């Protein structure tokens, strides 16, 4: 007999037909009952709701029933019936029950309900079995799907950029080295330095912090591309918004200027949020009820309102005029901290904000210089509760200007010669941005710690699972 997913039993029971036999498989969330009957809440991960299994104790072995505890895995064959009780429309009247796997109540860590998200992080191997993390994982999938469908509908091509790279041109943060050298017995050059010529690639390489530079090569050939993959930053920032390994979506589009870039970013992010509202309401409602009473409202607000656009300089003026005592002092030229970004978004505008035209000193070398010679055509999208969710820019397409910037910042030409060549041969105006996938997930799940929106978070001193 073919397995019926619980989502289908609950949502499409009319198609299955009340009174028909079905086969369901899943994990026990709870078992309760009396001397005559047991009610088993079964969950198979297809939906946050459980399917109620009603087991008439006369029909089943005492020993078998004893094995059915929270966390155990079952195969149930039974009749789909209208539920007598409250809380569910249908239930299954069990005919046969097979226990696939038991879960000793003495040692199963998820025996009780209502564990804190902090505790669940410590059992990341079992965390997917909880309702909350099931919602997160389904939303994560939905957002990945939405991202691909959005760019596909725009005619942008999904491009895979390398994870192992020899260039640190982005300057986005410390990198993780990749080597096959024996760290306890490093080969040395006559000068006493590590002899990388004996390493796997014959030179030092690391894990990428961004696929952008390679993405630009694609955009300047295919018109529009996007990357979507893992990125790695070894910065020791133990914050609720930073991971050492996170996923980034980086569209790069030929002929787009900074305004096109902002329009794309806003349209894209609204599409993703709208997608969740239209397709994942069960999960959103659960998270809204359990964790964040304003989640759905906040998501609808973002979809239905224009983002505010202003320059960095205007933002500095607003922050200065606010008279708020920030931990980090506000003055023109500072890299905005999360507290500043959140003040603008949550207190001042009460809307998502796109900031542009940042001082060149705090942004990457490839950003297009404005005529003032002081600011670059950067853009950061700032979101409520999160701060920066997207960072991007129009790119410097002028060979001489870009080369000058590379020299000013002492970026070794051997690292970026191939990148500079795009400006030598058929250069074109172009723009792009990077969306932190987990930051988007923070927004659509209402979670406040980034460790709770990725299955296996990588943070300083944490790589157990
Ligand atoms: O602003 P960032 O550093 O921009 C870039 O890497 C550009 N190359 C993007 C581009 O123009 N193609 O990073 C982009 C986004 C940030 O806005 C943030 O959402 C996310 O990536 N991000 C992180 N997310 C989690 N953990 C970290 N350590 C992150 N660092 C950046
Ligand atoms: Mg940034």
């Amino acid at each position: 007999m073919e397995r019926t997913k619980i989502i289908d039993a609950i949502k499409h029971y009319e198609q299955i037909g009340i009174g028909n036999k079905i086969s369901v498989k899943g994990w026990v969330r709870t078992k309760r009952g009396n001397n005559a009957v047991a009610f088993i809440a079964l969950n198979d991960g297809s939906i946050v709701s459980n399917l109620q299994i009603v087991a008439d104790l006369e029909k089943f072995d005492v020993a078998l029933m004893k094995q059915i505890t929270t966390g155990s895995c079952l195969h149930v064959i039974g009749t789909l019936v209208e539920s007598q009780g409250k809380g569910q429309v249908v239930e299954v009247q069990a005919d046969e029950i097979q226990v696939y796997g038991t879960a000793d109540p003495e040692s199963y860590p998820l025996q009780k309900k209502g564990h804190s998200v902090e505790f669940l992080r410590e059992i990341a191997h079992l965390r997917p079995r909880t309702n909350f993390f099931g919602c997160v994982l389904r939303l994560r999938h939905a957002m990945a799907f939405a991202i691909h469908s959005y760019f596909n509908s725009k005619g942008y091509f999904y491009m895979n950029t390398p994870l192992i790279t020899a260039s640190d041109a982005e300057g986005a943060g410390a990198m993780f080295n990749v080597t096959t050298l024996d760290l306890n017995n490093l080969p040395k050059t006559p000068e006493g330095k590590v002899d990388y010529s004996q390493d796997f690639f014959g030179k030092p390489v690391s894990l990428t912090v961004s696929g952008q530079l390679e993405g630009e090569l694609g955009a300047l050939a295919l018109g529009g591309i996007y990357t979507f993959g893992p990125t790695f930053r070894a910065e020791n920032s133990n914050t609720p918004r930073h991971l050492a390994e996170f996923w980034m979506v980086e569209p790069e589009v030929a002929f787009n200027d900074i305004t096109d870039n902002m329009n794309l970013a806003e349209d894209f992010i609204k599409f993703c949020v709208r997608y969740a509202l239209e397709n994942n309401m069960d999960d959103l409602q659960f998270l809204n009820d359990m964790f964040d009473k304003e989640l759905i409202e906040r998501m609808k607000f973002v979809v239905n309102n224009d983002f505010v656009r202003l320059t960095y300089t205007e933002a500095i003026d607003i922050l200065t005029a606010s008279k708020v005592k920030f931990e980090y002092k506000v003055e023109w030229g500072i890299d905005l901290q999360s507290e500043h970004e959140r003040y603008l978004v949550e207190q001042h505008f009460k809307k998502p904000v796109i900031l542009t035209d940042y001082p060149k000193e705090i942004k990457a070398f490839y950003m297009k210089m404005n005529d003032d010679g002081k600011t670059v055509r950067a853009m950061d999208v700032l979101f409520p509760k999160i701060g920066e969710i997207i960072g991007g820019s129009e790119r410097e397409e002028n060979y001489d200007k870009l080369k000058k910037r590379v020299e000013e910042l002492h970026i070794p030409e051997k690292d970026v010669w191939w990148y500079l060549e795009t400006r030598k041969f058929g250069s074109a105006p172009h723009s792009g941005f990077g969306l932190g996938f987990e930051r988007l997930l923070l927004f659509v799940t209402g979670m406040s710690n980034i460790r709770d929106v990725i299955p296996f978070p990588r943070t300083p001193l944490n790589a157990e699972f």
Side-chain angles (χ1 to χ4, degrees):
M1 195 174 189
E2 210 183 314
R3 172 190 163 215
T4 298
K5 288 210 178 128
I6 287 178
I7 188 171
D8 294 324
I10 290 176
K11 297 237 160 180
H12 310 296
Y13 58 87
E14 279 162 337
Q15 259 154 275
I16 298 169
I18 297 288
N20 282 331
K21 271 209 189 332
I22 59 170
S23 154
V24 289
K25 304 180 179 190
W27 293 268
V28 175
R29 285 289 205 259
T30 56
K31 186 178 90 175
R32 55 190 181 81
N34 50 41
N35 293 337
V37 63
F39 299 101
I40 303 160
L42 202 67
N43 187 288
D44 69 358
S46 59
I47 184 172
V48 66
S49 316
N50 305 320
L51 181 63
Q52 174 152 287
I53 310 292
V54 185
D56 199 338
L57 295 186
E58 270 186 357
K59 285 201 242 167
F60 299 99
D61 231 40
V62 177
L64 177 98
M65 289 312 292
K66 243 188 141 168
Q67 289 189 328
I68 301 174
T69 58
T70 296
S72 60
C73 185
L74 308 184
H75 176 197
V76 178
I77 295 177
T79 311
L80 189 65
V81 297
E82 269 171 41
S83 179
Q84 314 294 310
K86 274 195 286 186
Q88 63 273 324
V89 180
V90 292
E91 61 193 23
V92 168
Q93 204 79 50
D95 295 325
E96 294 169 45
I97 301 179
Q98 180 190 356
V99 178
Y100 280 140
T102 55
D104 182 1
E106 294 297 315
S107 53
Y108 182 54
L110 295 172
Q111 186 59 33
K112 284 197 259 75
K113 277 183 167 185
H115 291 297
S116 71
V117 290
E118 291 80 10
F119 169 75
L120 293 176
R121 252 175 247 153
E122 286 165 26
I123 50 164
H125 61 306
L126 293 172
R127 186 165 66 157
R129 302 268 191 96
T130 62
N131 282 337
F132 128 72
F133 211 68
C135 291
V136 168
L137 287 179
R138 282 184 295 271
L139 279 161
R140 210 179 145 96
H141 164 79
M143 288 301 91
F145 187 78
I147 286 162
H148 285 296
S149 48
Y150 179 79
F151 289 119
N152 184 58
S153 77
K154 293 247 153 203
Y156 298 168
F157 300 100
Y158 177 40
M159 179 168 160
N160 300 121
T161 48
L163 299 190
I164 298 177
T165 172
S167 83
D168 178 21
E170 175 89 13
M175 303 179 87
F176 290 101
N177 298 326
V178 177
T179 182
T180 53
L181 293 177
D182 179 356
L183 295 182
N184 293 311
N185 188 18
L186 287 169
K188 293 283 169 68
T189 62
E191 297 82 49
K193 298 212 166 123
V194 176
D195 184 5
Y196 283 103
S197 71
Q198 296 189 40
D199 202 352
F200 190 91
F201 295 103
K203 56 177 167 183
V205 294
S206 6
L207 292 177
T208 189
V209 294
S210 158
Q212 178 197 324
L213 302 192
E214 294 88 350
E216 286 186 46
L217 311 181
L220 294 173
L222 300 181
I225 63 93
Y226 67 104
T227 72
F228 184 10
T231 41
F232 308 87
R233 296 186 187 181
E235 56 201 330
N236 202 353
S237 45
N238 237 322
T239 81
R241 278 174 285 281
H242 287 88
L243 290 164
E245 176 181 292
F246 64 100
W247 287 65
M248 188 153 48
V249 185
E250 294 183 276
E252 193 68 35
V253 190
F255 318 118
N256 267 10
D257 66 13
I258 186 76
T259 307
D260 302 321
N261 206 32
M262 285 192 273
N263 293 343
L264 180 67
E266 183 168 344
D267 189 50
F268 166 54
I269 213 160
K270 283 179 170 170
F271 177 90
C272 293
V273 176
R274 197 180 311 116
Y275 184 94
L277 287 169
E278 286 170 4
N279 295 280
N280 299 83
M281 215 21 152
D282 291 332
D283 292 329
L284 294 179
Q285 194 64 56
F286 179 87
L287 294 169
N288 193 93
D289 294 345
M290 302 300 287
F291 292 95
D292 180 351
K293 297 276 183 278
E294 279 145 29
L295 172 64
I296 293 173
E297 210 178 295
R298 203 162 46 238
M299 289 172 69
K300 286 186 177 159
F301 183 84
V302 160
V303 168
N304 293 326
N305 285 280
D306 290 342
F307 297 4
V308 179
R309 300 178 183 192
L310 70 157
T311 65
Y312 167 92
T313 304
E314 288 165 334
I316 291 289
D317 290 344
I318 290 170
L319 291 168
T320 313
S322 77
K323 301 275 186 292
V324 175
K325 276 236 172 326
F326 293 109
E327 194 184 328
Y328 291 88
K329 201 172 153 250
V330 177
E331 58 190 343
W332 200 93
I334 61 155
D335 206 354
L336 294 181
Q337 302 296 315
S338 181
E339 54 172 344
H340 307 132
E341 296 175 340
R342 293 183 63 174
Y343 174 81
L344 292 169
V345 174
E346 291 163 23
Q347 313 287 321
H348 189 81
F349 289 111
K350 299 190 169 44
K351 270 182 176 190
V353 169
I354 311 183
L355 287 188
T356 56
D357 305 291
Y358 283 74
K360 65 174 195 273
E361 286 78 14
I362 57 171
K363 289 293 180 186
F365 77 99
Y366 50 69
M367 296 193 181
K368 188 178 172 74
M369 190 75 75
N370 281 317
D371 293 338
D372 62 12
K374 286 191 335 201
T375 58
V376 288
R377 246 166 251 184
M379 58 164 230
D380 277 7
V381 180
L382 313 179
F383 255 44
K385 279 189 78 184
I386 291 161
E388 181 189 336
I389 191 164
I390 281 180
S393 72
E394 187 169 339
R395 318 305 188 189
E396 184 58 76
E397 84 270 20
N398 178 290
Y399 178 81
D400 295 322
K401 286 188 189 166
L402 187 61
K403 187 143 193 304
K404 186 161 159 265
R405 211 53 200 128
V406 165
E407 284 161 5
E408 277 170 11
L409 294 170
H410 307 294
I411 298 169
E413 191 157 340
K414 69 169 181 30
D415 283 356
V416 287
W417 64 271
W418 49 272
Y419 182 73
L420 289 168
E421 286 211 344
T422 56
R423 277 59 168 175
K424 220 190 236 171
F425 307 122
S427 188
H430 61 290
S431 301
F433 61 80
L435 166 83
F437 186 52
E438 285 76 19
R439 302 246 175 121
L440 172 67
L441 279 159
L442 281 176
F443 186 70
V444 299
T445 59
M447 290 294 130
S448 47
N449 194 310
I450 201 161
R451 292 163 180 78
D452 299 326
V453 296
I454 187 166
F456 305 102
R458 295 287 173 263
T459 50
L461 301 178
N462 181 20
E464 174 76 14
F465 301 93

